[in-house]
Amino acid sequence: MERWWQGRWCIRRLALAAFLLSLIAGLPLTAVRTLRRVGRATLSLGEDARGARVRLLGAATVAALDSIRHAIPEDGEYLLVDGGEELQAEAYWVRFELAPRRAVFLGRLSEMERAPRLSWKLPPAARGVVVAYPGGPSRLLSGREFLELLEAKRGPG
Amino acid sequence: MVPGEALRGLAGVALFAAPGSGLAELLPTLRQLPPGRRLAYGYLLGVAWTAGWLYALSHWFAIPLRSPAILAVAAIPTLAGAAGAWRRRRRERRSASPSPPPTATKLAARLALIVGVAVTAAGFCDALTAPLLDWDGRLIWSTQARYLRAEGSVDASVLEEGKWWVTCPWYPLLMPVAQVAVLEVTRAGVDHHAFRPMYSAFLPVWLLLVWGGARSYAGQEAAGWTTLAAAMLSFPAFAGAGGAASAYSDLPLACFVGGGALLLLDLRGRLSAGLAAGILLAAAILTKAEGEILGPLALLVAAVVPLLSTPGARRREIWRRRRSMLALASLPVFLALALLHSWRAGIAGGFESFTRLTSWPLLWPGLLTRLPRLAHDAGAEMLTYADWGLFWWVAPLVVAAGWRGVRRRPARALLLLAGAPLAIGWLYATIAVDPHFIVTATWDRFLLQASLPFLMVFAMALRDLTRRATWQVQRRGHHTHLHRSESDLADGQLLSVDSGA
């Protein structure tokens, strides 16, 4: 009986020790993440919302988005193409940046290049085609410019 | 950070804290809480009330989501609460009753306070100085908020027409409506991140709910250690994919469901607790798809579990005491369900995004055959140091070693409530076309949704551990104390250690 009690006592002590150890082990991570955020905020004192956007998205990206916003009114619509080679999220982020403008998603540029020419037919009534490039500024093209881009990518034949 | 812009973000928090504090003042159960917990419940009620009414008014009465409506909805409880507080203070001044003596704060509670304040401050620093960069926040919630703001309506044509590229248009819109309210009232530009502090404020609210609930169930010491452990978890505080640093709806959902359930599980069955819980559960339904299950389930668990394994006469007494509270709580819940289904009836595409990712025929034999793979993936998520530290390594050990503390009646309901989001997540992954992707993308968030009830159970086990470990050192071989403690723990009642602090 006594041994049984001692066994239980050991398990409880072990559980408490493990819990305290987990708190101690978590301290550096919490401290680093906390200090990093406070430090970043301190460094960005005096920076406005636009400055923060430029810092995090890049000046070229912000300028490109501004120019597309200027060309398409808020209640307008556009065709959106993912300019990445593989499934990436850039088109999502461009849609977010351009909202509330309405997007019709055409697909990935790399897939469209492989499609037969006859299927290159753009939906009407859009102000243009926005190509979202991962890691670079987006481009707004007219329907004709976009079809020319596809032709150029596909090459002769 | 420019002071004027930072003030916009903080004004967004005040937009909900003020009406919520008014509601907390009007509801006696919340009015009697210590200031921190009252403010936490107040904030949740403020978001639920303001965004919930705006959602309903916009959908049913076509009232635009613009400043006049937003300010009017927020002003009603703010002014009513202020008038109530003024009248109460006058009454109390006449019959000046002595305030309760302050209770000594234990080391764990002080540490929890320090860490909680630090991570909260860090969260606000980030939210006030940087634009939104997370995944679902930009993919779904904030994009939807921009559509709603542009059209001034929750029935935005971009969601209803079906020809536009919108991700998950059927997701409930309480948090995007709250975003719109902040941006409209502060007149922030489309790129301004003034809504981010509103999400950051859910972290201190969550910590205060953990502290308050754990204190009720397990006393100050266990509550302090549990809150300290919660404050040091990276995922709720810092994760860009579901934590307070993001614009995901998981932390708000965890607070609404958990806060509502904690109020409902109080056996005293006070009407004002029922009304507050009902408002919070209604908000849960309008916050995220899972809320449609978790909100009504919390109501059901709170109604049924206290009656189980209770003798007939006592069962009738519990039911008599609680039935009015439960009926009052169910009113906002039914209203929210009606609103959600009425709104969703006009949304194009139905559950298209869900049906594309899942296939019901996978359920069987997937429940068995996918079990090892899902357990491996879920375990890997839980044991990731960068998100959860070592918490999920030790939490099962603590709960197992302190199992006697978990034998009390509230623990059954809490375990059910903690298990429900995990069961939904497990089911989702079982029928998913790509289960690995679903587990890695969602399991941490389901853990967050389950966090409040689970941390209550954790605190109960920890209380049992600390008490028994101490006694065994002091009185090895003296079993009399141990017998007494077992009868204490098995009484099934809410501990009355809730005064002060």
Side-chain angles (χ1 to χ4, degrees):
Chain A
M1 188 71 180
E2 182 67 23
R3 197 181 300 162
W4 184 77
W5 276 111
Q6 281 184 350
R8 297 280 302 277
W9 180 79
C10 279
I11 290 171
R12 286 184 196 122
R13 289 261 139 180
L14 184 70
L16 279 178
F19 174 62
L20 289 177
L21 187 70
S22 76
L23 291 179
I24 294 165
L27 197 59
L29 187 67
T30 307
V32 166
R33 290 188 166 175
T34 301
L35 291 173
R36 194 185 293 159
R37 276 161 181 78
V38 174
R40 274 204 302 249
T42 312
L43 289 175
S44 67
L45 278 175
E47 179 186 65
D48 62 6
R50 184 173 172 79
R53 262 168 64 75
V54 169
R55 171 169 52 89
L56 290 162
L57 300 180
T61 300
V62 171
L65 290 168
D66 285 348
S67 119
I68 297 171
R69 284 174 175 182
H70 191 69
I72 308 172
E74 280 209 350
D75 59 351
E77 57 205 54
Y78 63 98
L79 306 173
L80 182 58
V81 173
D82 188 336
E85 288 297 317
E86 54 193 38
L87 191 61
Q88 282 174 310
E90 199 57 34
Y92 294 137
W93 313 150
V94 170
R95 178 184 61 179
F96 166 69
E97 294 291 342
L98 298 182
R101 294 157 191 83
R102 299 150 190 229
V104 174
F105 186 58
L106 292 185
R108 244 191 345 267
L109 194 58
S110 55
E111 286 174 351
M112 297 171 84
E113 287 161 25
R114 289 194 286 271
R117 276 198 178 82
L118 285 174
S119 63
W120 293 356
K121 192 177 165 195
L122 298 180
R127 292 242 171 192
V129 184
V130 175
V131 186
Y133 291 106
S138 305
R139 285 177 66 195
L140 174 63
L141 306 172
S142 67
R144 193 172 53 81
E145 285 171 330
F146 178 67
L147 290 176
E148 283 170 7
L149 175 75
L150 274 182
E151 284 283 356
K153 288 237 172 209
R154 189 180 169 106
Chain B
M1 177 168 49
V2 177
E5 291 190 350
L7 278 177
R8 270 198 185 133
L10 297 176
V13 176
L15 177 67
F16 303 112
S21 299
L23 287 170
E25 175 64 35
L26 297 174
L27 298 168
T29 303
L30 301 184
R31 190 169 62 223
Q32 288 156 10
L33 290 174
R37 289 171 59 197
R38 189 167 64 216
L39 194 59
Y41 272 111
Y43 185 74
L44 292 180
L45 283 172
V47 176
W49 170 276
T50 309
W53 272 114
L54 289 170
Y55 203 149
L57 292 171
S58 172
H59 175 65
W60 278 325
F61 302 101
I63 292 176
L65 298 171
R66 300 290 178 228
S67 290
I70 297 163
L71 291 173
V73 166
I76 294 167
T78 307
L79 296 175
W86 181 71
R87 282 181 56 189
R88 185 168 58 85
R89 295 239 164 79
R90 273 188 57 185
R91 259 202 320 272
E92 281 175 357
R93 214 175 292 150
R94 277 194 213 126
S95 60
S97 56
S99 55
T103 50
T105 310
K106 305 223 166 169
L107 171 71
R110 283 186 211 156
L111 289 174
L113 181 69
I114 292 167
V115 176
V117 167
V119 293
T120 298
F124 272 99
C125 282
D126 184 53
L128 290 168
T129 54
L132 189 70
L133 288 176
D134 65 53
W135 189 285
D136 277 14
R138 290 186 289 169
L139 177 70
I140 303 169
W141 308 104
S142 293
T143 307
Q144 256 78 320
R146 287 183 175 186
Y147 294 137
L148 302 192
R149 190 183 182 197
E151 296 199 32
S153 170
V154 294
D155 301 309
S157 58
V158 69
L159 303 177
E160 294 186 333
E161 288 174 355
K163 59 180 176 178
W164 309 111
W165 189 44
V166 181
T167 306
C168 303
W170 52 277
Y171 273 15
L173 291 177
L174 189 89
M175 295 312 293
V177 169
Q179 275 196 41
V180 172
V182 172
L183 295 171
E184 278 292 302
V185 167
T186 59
R187 296 179 183 277
V190 70
D191 288 327
H192 201 282
H193 48 270
F195 61 89
R196 288 199 60 208
M198 173 194 77
Y199 285 97
S200 300
F202 279 95
L203 179 70
V205 165
W206 179 72
L207 289 173
L208 284 162
L209 292 182
V210 171
W211 161 252
R215 196 162 186 262
S216 302
Y217 288 121
Q220 198 188 74
E221 187 170 20
W225 290 117
T226 304
T227 312
L228 178 62
M232 287 174 64
L233 295 175
S234 271
F235 190 84
F238 302 123
S246 69
Y248 283 45
S249 293
D250 297 276
L251 185 57
L253 177 65
C255 291
F256 287 132
V257 175
L262 290 180
L263 287 174
L264 280 181
L265 289 176
D266 184 344
L267 288 184
R268 285 167 285 195
R270 286 176 294 187
L271 288 179
S272 59
L275 184 59
I279 294 172
L280 297 184
L281 296 180
I285 290 166
L286 296 172
T287 294
K288 202 156 187 276
E290 299 92 297
E292 203 179 339
I293 300 169
L294 299 178
L297 182 77
L299 200 57
L300 184 70
V301 166
V304 173
V305 173
L307 304 178
L308 298 177
S309 58
T310 306
R314 172 120 172 90
R315 188 186 306 164
R316 276 192 294 279
E317 190 212 319
I318 290 175
W319 175 245
R320 203 171 46 246
R321 206 187 316 148
R322 291 168 55 80
R323 64 188 173 193
S324 305
M325 176 190 79
L326 291 165
L328 199 55
S330 62
L331 285 177
V333 169
F334 284 121
L335 200 63
L337 285 170
L339 172 61
L340 182 63
H341 287 273
S342 168
W343 169 79
R344 210 178 256 163
I347 299 301
F351 299 93
E352 189 250 337
S353 53
F354 176 75
T355 48
R356 209 177 49 234
L357 291 171
T358 56
S359 169
W360 280 103
L362 292 171
L363 183 63
W364 187 259
L367 270 175
L368 293 180
T369 56
R370 288 188 163 191
L371 190 73
R373 179 71 194 274
L374 293 184
H376 171 268
D377 289 347
E381 291 298 313
M382 294 166 85
L383 303 182
T384 305
Y385 175 73
D387 283 333
W388 299 102
L390 299 183
F391 181 76
W392 292 113
W393 289 89
V394 301
L397 180 63
V398 168
V399 174
W403 64 276
R404 283 171 189 274
V406 184
R407 286 194 314 180
R408 294 163 53 216
R409 187 174 292 132
R412 275 182 247 159
L414 292 165
L415 281 170
L416 273 174
L417 292 169
L422 302 182
I424 294 172
W426 198 273
L427 184 68
Y428 186 21
T430 301
I431 62 169
V433 176
D434 182 355
H436 177 73
F437 168 73
I438 293 298
V439 172
T440 51
T442 62
W443 188 251
D444 287 324
R445 293 189 275 142
F446 284 116
L447 286 173
L448 186 57
Q449 293 174 21
S451 59
L452 263 170
F454 179 79
L455 285 166
M456 299 304 106
V457 173
F458 182 85
M460 288 179 188
L462 199 59
R463 174 178 183 261
D464 181 67
L465 274 186
T466 49
R467 289 179 67 177
R468 282 169 193 277
T470 314
W471 285 337
Q472 295 251 336
V473 171
Q474 290 169 350
R475 300 180 60 86
R476 284 179 68 185
H478 292 250
H479 294 280
T480 48
H481 273 213
L482 213 51
H483 289 311
R484 198 191 64 192
S485 78
E486 279 164 9
S487 65
D488 282 352
L489 291 166
D491 66 357
Q493 291 291 331
L494 196 72
L495 288 172
S496 300
V497 288
D498 209 10
S499 59

